[in-house]
Amino acid sequence: MKRRSFLQFGQQTQTRNVATANTTLTTTDLEPYTGQWSTVEAAFLLRRTTFGPKPTHIKQAVADGLSATIGQLFANQPLPDPPVYYDYEDDPNAGLGETWVNTPIPTPSPQGIFGGRYRSLIGSQLGLLINGGVSIREKMVLFWHNHFALDDNNAQFGYQYLDVLRRNALGNFRTMVEEITVAPAMLRYLNGHQNSRQAPNENYARELLELFTIGRGEVAAPGDYTNYTEDDVVQMARALTGWRFTTPDNGLPLGVFVANRHDTGEKQLSHRFDNAIISDAGDQEYKVVIDHILQKTEVARFLSRQLHIWFVGTDIDGVVEVNIIEPMAQLIIDNNYDIQPAVEALLGSNYFFEETHRGCMTSHPLDFMFKIVNTLDMGAEAAPLQHYFFWNQLRRLAESLEMKYMALPSVAGWKAFYQSPQFYNIWINSVSLPIRQTVGNTLLNGINSGGVQWRVNLLDFIAEMDNNLDPNSMLEQIALYLFAYPISDNQRDFLKEVLIPGLPDFEWTVEYADFLQNPDDPDLRDAIFTKLESLFGTLFKMPEFHLI
């Protein structure tokens, strides 16, 4: 399906045909990219790997070159400061501006404390999307959040879970799976804390195999899914018995092993795992389970497909399987399940920059929103705690578009990343489209939050265009920063009619030049800003704005 055809919003514009996912590829391997490196390619890379790159980021990437830009995307960053209270004052252990992550919930719990901590956590997470700069880390955190899906509104558990994802976002997959397996949030969500030798619970073992590591293959026989069997689920569940969670005095939940709840007997795996036997290993037995799973090459293939869906697209045919997925999987195996080398190879490849991949995805709600918030530099003069109010306004807008941190719709994650054949198109339908347009208008018109007005900075954005006195050149450059493809002549003329309806080009040139000479004149400033508001309101409604 052509994404633009799916996204007909009633906008009377013309555009080039966006290539479909089935277009024949001209590059079928992970060879390093050797093609043109311009605004188009740099913007494409940064949109796929960050949240709403600014024109300054894209220009710098063009100047630095692909190799240096990849290096910056993957550069180590310090972990962020923990979230703090910004609107809740009834916690005796932490006040406004202080973190709560290392303090327990008082007994009895003060009214509103759970909500206060939750707003603080998710607000700070949205703030990281604003302040992430040219780094892939938060895109990878969201990838892993979808991969190790969770639904838990307890901020104490959620903070620790997100910390596991962030610390391991570009690190070792084996380490991440080990930590996630005994993380209190996951123990609670998939009933690992109820899994005992007396009453085994198979929930986590099943999802560990089907969704987190090796994937469910074709049904080869009753109870046999090619990559594992129902007997493997049963035996691995036995091996994972004995884990509980507790909350010590420092307030940080902790996964603990209770020996008398653990099944110490031998666990016989099926022929899918070479008939291996897992003997009692106490509190280390969960690592033995993970080792047996990760010995299978299919795990690396499964991960490579997920990364391809996230960064490139959903079209994985036999050619892509052999020439892209297999080399990525081999890189993961050769690096002992370190993820970064495979992701770097993919993003720096000729294959990634194939024209057919540009605009093949409908942007998910966070990409849609932060193309506005970050690319157009939405901001305000605000004290640190006031930012939390704004971040939580963004949280509520994202939730209205059905993308909510710590509350994924199912253990499989968001449908757009696994449900065939619609995939990304799931994000937009007759119900969600009007809401998405309302969100765009809300951001464009500004948000009053925490006593501060947050506005998009359209004037500074236009100032970044190289020839902003020429409306034709300016509109073409705007499209390069916002759209996956350059606009057609007809689209440019349509947008120019929105900007200066019925007027010749020189009217914009004269009016904008007058403003540049008198930037403090409120009348000139308001006149230009009003024109730009109308222009960007139209841009937000164009199908191309919703493609990435």
Side-chain angles (χ1 to χ4, degrees):
M1 176 182 288
K2 292 183 179 179
R3 268 57 176 187
R4 190 184 185 281
S5 298
F6 177 80
L7 292 166
Q8 291 296 340
F9 298 168
Q11 186 68 54
Q12 297 302 311
T13 62
Q14 296 180 20
T15 185
R16 65 189 295 174
N17 288 327
V18 177
T20 67
N22 295 319
T23 299
T24 302
L25 300 176
T26 58
T27 301
T28 56
D29 55 36
L30 290 179
E31 291 178 358
Y33 181 62
T34 57
Q36 173 179 277
W37 179 248
S38 67
T39 300
V40 171
E41 291 74 31
F44 171 65
L45 174 65
L46 294 186
R47 284 191 208 105
R48 290 288 176 94
T49 55
T50 68
F51 290 92
K54 300 178 182 181
T56 52
H57 295 151
I58 296 170
K59 289 181 178 181
Q60 190 62 54
V62 173
D64 290 344
L66 174 58
S67 179
T69 302
I70 292 284
Q72 185 175 1
L73 283 168
F74 287 88
N76 289 329
Q77 289 191 326
L79 291 172
D81 293 332
V84 301
Y85 282 127
Y86 73 98
D87 69 344
Y88 185 76
E89 303 182 64
D90 295 333
D91 187 341
N93 297 320
L96 283 178
E98 297 178 341
T99 188
W100 43 264
V101 301
N102 56 354
T103 62
I105 298 288
T107 303
S109 59
Q111 183 176 4
I113 191 170
F114 292 99
R117 293 189 175 196
Y118 176 81
R119 292 190 300 275
S120 168
L121 173 66
I122 307 303
S124 69
Q125 176 59 49
L126 270 293
L128 292 173
L129 306 192
I130 295 176
N131 300 315
V134 182
S135 170
I136 197 175
R137 186 173 70 184
E138 290 309 313
K139 264 285 169 79
M140 289 299 298
V141 170
L142 189 62
F143 168 80
W144 291 121
H145 188 21
N146 181 70
H147 187 85
F148 296 106
L150 193 74
D151 183 0
D152 193 330
N153 62 7
N154 184 297
Q156 217 83 11
F157 286 74
Y159 173 76
Q160 188 181 57
Y161 160 84
L162 289 171
D163 180 62
V164 171
L165 302 187
R166 186 165 289 112
R167 284 187 292 101
N168 295 287
L170 292 166
N172 189 269
F173 180 69
R174 182 190 306 272
T175 300
M176 182 181 291
V177 178
E178 289 175 353
E179 292 192 33
I180 283 291
T181 297
V182 296
M186 191 59 75
L187 286 171
R188 184 160 75 165
Y189 179 52
L190 289 180
N191 309 109
H193 70 297
Q194 297 174 341
N195 187 20
S196 69
R197 62 182 176 83
Q198 298 94 340
N201 187 297
E202 298 172 7
N203 277 5
Y204 183 76
R206 185 175 303 281
E207 308 308 351
L208 175 66
L209 289 164
E210 181 175 344
L211 298 175
F212 299 165
T213 57
I214 200 167
R216 178 169 170 165
E218 298 293 328
V219 176
D224 184 345
Y225 312 118
T226 302
N227 297 330
Y228 64 91
T229 70
E230 282 292 333
D231 286 341
D232 293 321
V233 173
V234 171
Q235 298 304 312
M236 289 184 180
R238 292 178 57 212
L240 295 171
T241 53
W243 285 92
R244 306 278 284 172
F245 61 81
T246 186
T247 304
D249 291 341
N250 66 4
L252 290 175
L254 181 67
V256 295
F257 181 76
V258 182
N260 64 9
R261 291 173 55 86
H262 178 63
D263 185 334
T264 59
E266 291 187 342
K267 295 87 181 177
Q268 173 74 60
L269 301 184
S270 76
H271 65 291
R272 298 301 184 185
F273 292 98
D274 307 312
N275 298 307
I277 294 176
I278 298 177
S279 300
D280 179 38
D283 64 354
Q284 299 300 300
E285 196 165 327
Y286 73 102
K287 295 182 180 180
V288 177
V289 170
I290 293 167
D291 282 342
H292 278 293
I293 298 172
L294 267 58
Q295 286 174 13
K296 297 301 176 181
T297 305
E298 186 58 31
V299 175
R301 297 191 188 103
F302 180 75
L303 285 175
S304 298
R305 294 184 197 107
Q306 302 308 304
L307 290 164
H308 186 287
I309 291 170
W310 190 259
F311 286 112
V312 182
T314 59
D315 187 46
I316 303 177
D317 59 15
V319 174
V320 173
E321 190 73 38
V322 170
N323 294 297
I324 303 300
I325 301 304
E326 285 294 336
M328 286 181 65
Q330 195 59 53
L331 279 170
I332 291 173
I333 292 168
D334 290 346
N335 287 278
N336 194 28
Y337 279 94
D338 281 347
I339 295 297
Q340 182 170 329
V343 181
E344 281 190 354
L346 177 65
L347 297 177
S349 68
N350 278 319
Y351 174 74
F352 176 76
F353 287 100
E354 279 291 333
E355 185 176 356
T356 189
H357 294 144
R358 296 208 306 270
C360 74
M361 299 180 185
T362 300
S363 58
H364 61 64
L366 291 175
D367 271 332
F368 163 71
M369 287 175 51
F370 283 89
K371 186 189 283 190
I372 300 172
V373 172
N374 284 345
T375 305
L376 301 181
D377 199 21
M378 191 173 190
E381 293 292 330
L385 292 189
Q386 289 175 315
H387 285 78
Y388 273 84
F389 287 95
F390 174 56
W391 297 340
N392 270 279
Q393 287 280 68
L394 297 179
R395 169 184 64 82
R396 286 186 281 271
L397 291 177
E399 289 173 4
S400 74
L401 296 173
E402 300 184 357
M403 199 167 201
K404 184 177 181 180
Y405 275 96
M406 300 303 299
L408 276 71
S410 78
V411 69
W414 287 292
K415 290 181 180 179
F417 301 108
Y418 70 84
Q419 186 164 299
S420 176
Q422 302 99 326
F423 286 109
Y424 308 114
N425 291 337
I426 287 173
W427 290 122
I428 295 182
N429 54 49
S430 60
V431 175
S432 64
L433 176 56
I435 300 173
R436 185 176 277 229
Q437 292 175 332
T438 298
V439 168
N441 290 335
T442 298
L443 294 173
L444 179 62
N445 295 332
I447 292 176
N448 192 310
S449 184
V452 176
Q453 185 72 15
W454 301 79
R455 298 297 300 270
V456 291
N457 202 333
L458 301 181
L459 294 172
D460 281 359
F461 180 82
I462 294 302
E464 290 292 335
M465 305 302 107
D466 294 334
N467 188 9
N468 45 34
L469 290 172
D470 177 356
N472 300 290
S473 176
M474 182 184 73
L475 291 167
E476 290 168 355
Q477 289 183 59
I478 289 172
L480 290 181
Y481 290 113
L482 297 181
F483 295 169
Y485 281 97
I487 54 175
S488 67
D489 291 347
N490 286 343
Q491 285 180 303
R492 182 200 62 213
D493 293 343
F494 170 82
L495 291 169
K496 187 167 57 176
E497 182 65 19
V498 174
L499 180 68
I500 46 173
L503 299 175
D505 291 3
F506 72 81
E507 290 289 348
W508 169 262
T509 304
V510 171
E511 189 170 356
Y512 190 63
D514 286 345
F515 164 71
L516 292 178
Q517 292 174 358
N518 303 279
D520 296 326
D521 185 314
D523 293 334
L524 292 174
R525 185 181 185 88
D526 289 347
I528 293 294
F529 193 84
T530 298
K531 286 181 171 61
L532 293 176
E533 275 192 315
S534 179
L535 171 65
F536 279 85
T538 301
L539 287 165
F540 293 174
K541 292 180 176 68
M542 291 175 65
E544 291 80 2
F545 191 81
H546 300 259
L547 302 178
I548 187 171

